Amino acid sequence: MKLSFSDPTHISIWIRGELKTREVKMSTMGNSTNIFWQESPVGKLERQKLLNQKGCVVWITGLSGSGKSTLACSLSRELHTRGKLSYILDGDNVRHGLNKDLGFKAEDRTENIRRVGEVAKLFADAGLICIASLISPYRKDRDACRAMLPDAFIEVFMNMPLALCEERDPKGLYKLARAGKIKGFTGIDDPYEPPLNCEN
Ligand SMILES: Nc1ncnc2c1ncn2[C@@H]1O[C@H](COP(=O)(O)OS(=O)(=O)O)[C@@H](OP(=O)(O)O)[C@H]1O
Ligand SMILES: Nc1ncnc2c1ncn2[C@@H]1O[C@H](COP(=O)(O)OP(=O)(O)O)[C@@H](O)[C@H]1O
């Protein structure tokens, strides 16, 4: 609970039954000016203890049809069976809500990955095992997510040949892309950059 704000550079808050004074710095982040970091009274370690697990992000990347969602679902089910709390952020699903304003041009994909990376970071901070399954075709975008989560980012590459993914084509999208009815489809006329430092 915030108690006083008389000095603009310090606030007093109760943390675990103790009144502490914390320095707060006013900052500018992107277009957000005059903002302060609000400390939480419950710390990350306390959340980990409550949940009996450590938060992290399992980032599954690969071509459409490579098996990302299938693996995400099996992993989540297995973790649940073992009493571990997880949550899946699937590209298709996130594009139904948070990222429905984004398409598939390069800058939109980059923004898609950035937002999912930020959300995944919050889930991991909350103590969950966050499973992100997105094509995430550009190495620099995945690496930016890794940089946000030191020691808590597990990158899993679904290393399936394009020919196999295309043969599976469960949504018929490769067929449409080959027919020129979808432009900029990953693996066909948009690049996929495989990881250089994945964990699998
Ligand atoms: N142009 C193009 N390229 C690739 N994929 C396309 C495209 N258009 C639609 N889709 C469908 O969108 C799903 C991928 O969304 P993602 O958010 O994972 O993509 S990305 O990470 O931003 O590249 C992807 O889902 P998955 O097949 O599960 O990978 C497709 O169903
Ligand atoms: N290990 C696997 N072996 C054979 N088929 C698989 C395997 N994993 C997924 N599939 C199948 O491949 C297709 C694409 O899987 P999916 O998980 O939807 O891929 P993605 O999420 O990468 O688009 C689905 O029909 C799925 O049943």
Side-chain angles (χ1 to χ4, degrees), residues 123-192:
F123 273 114
D125 187 52
L128 274 74
I129 299 163
C130 181
I131 305 166
S133 48
L134 300 99
I135 295 179
S136 41
Y138 310 139
R139 201 175 289 134
K140 66 168 176 33
D141 298 339
R142 296 190 305 264
D143 287 348
C145 293
R146 179 186 287 276
M148 278 197 271
L149 287 145
D151 306 324
F153 188 85
I154 301 156
E155 189 175 6
V156 177
F157 175 34
M158 301 305 290
N159 190 1
M160 299 297 150
L162 174 65
L164 176 66
C165 299
E166 210 171 338
E167 195 184 306
R168 288 178 178 169
D169 202 9
K171 300 170 187 161
L173 297 179
Y174 282 103
K175 199 172 280 174
L176 290 174
R178 288 289 184 197
K181 291 184 181 150
I182 300 178
K183 302 278 182 220
F185 197 78
T186 305
I188 305 297
D189 53 352
D190 216 61
Y192 180 83

